[in-house]
Amino acid sequence: MNISIISFVTLLILICFCVTPKKMHIFEIIFILLVVWLLDHPISWIIYVNLSLIKVSTNLGDFWAEVFDRLVLLPLLIMVFFEVILRSNRTATKCIILCVGILILVLDEYALLKMGVLENVNWNIFYSLIEKGFVVLVPYFLWGRYRRKIF
């Protein structure tokens, strides 16, 4: 059941992302996708396995729901946030978009905890804010440098 909910939300966001006109080039999208994958996957497993703050459910369906969330939904959400940032001109608006994006990612993790995909061991919202902030801000600054280099 959990994987169907996550798949539905991902498909809905993916369709919205594909039909809207984009200001980002395909290479920028691939760059963001790869950077988010390289940051999010090791960090999440350090938190899950080494620090034991959150535990992934032993149910196979829940495990695949978590993998699908980490590998597809989170990078897709981050690309949507960056696309919205490209459409804004003011620095304050960009900061607000980044903060709202981090909060949405934390809410996604909280929803996974409530659905039973993740199990709470020593989960703290501040640790989650730090993790999601790192996963959003590092690709943002790297993307900014990449964009200045290319364009």
Side-chain angles (χ1 to χ4, degrees):
M1 180 67 180
N2 294 331
I3 194 160
S4 61
I5 294 170
I6 291 173
S7 299
F8 175 74
V9 170
T10 303
L11 187 63
L12 190 66
I13 294 171
L14 184 63
I15 290 171
C16 292
F17 182 72
C18 288
V19 253
T20 57
K22 285 173 243 356
K23 289 189 170 190
M24 284 194 293
H25 192 269
I26 187 71
F27 293 143
E28 290 178 285
I29 293 171
I30 293 170
F31 176 79
I32 293 168
L33 184 72
L34 291 176
V35 169
V36 169
W37 277 346
L38 287 173
L39 286 176
D40 188 47
H41 191 68
I43 288 173
S44 65
W45 287 110
I46 287 172
I47 289 173
Y48 296 165
V49 176
N50 294 349
L51 297 177
S52 298
L53 297 177
I54 298 175
K55 185 178 154 191
V56 179
S57 176
T58 56
N59 184 359
L60 189 60
D62 290 340
F63 173 76
W64 282 111
E66 166 63 18
V67 169
F68 195 66
D69 183 72
R70 289 280 176 185
L71 293 180
V72 180
L73 184 61
L74 293 184
L76 183 62
L77 285 173
I78 291 171
M79 283 187 283
V80 168
F81 301 146
F82 290 176
E83 184 66 38
V84 173
I85 285 172
L86 272 181
R87 297 180 188 281
S88 66
N89 295 329
R90 299 177 60 195
T91 306
T93 308
K94 293 178 183 181
C95 291
I96 290 171
I97 292 168
L98 284 173
C99 291
V100 168
I102 292 169
L103 287 176
I104 288 174
L105 295 179
V106 169
L107 286 175
D108 174 61
E109 189 170 46
Y110 182 73
L112 291 176
L113 282 167
K114 287 299 177 186
M115 285 192 299
V117 173
L118 299 175
E119 296 174 6
N120 184 2
V121 177
N122 289 322
W123 183 75
N124 190 344
I125 194 163
F126 296 112
Y127 296 146
S128 188
L129 282 171
I130 291 169
E131 175 204 357
K132 300 302 180 191
F134 184 77
V135 168
V136 170
L137 293 176
V138 169
Y140 176 72
F141 290 118
L142 289 175
W143 171 62
R145 290 185 56 109
Y146 177 80
R147 193 164 174 82
R148 273 182 259 141
K149 254 318 184 204
I150 298 297
F151 302 109

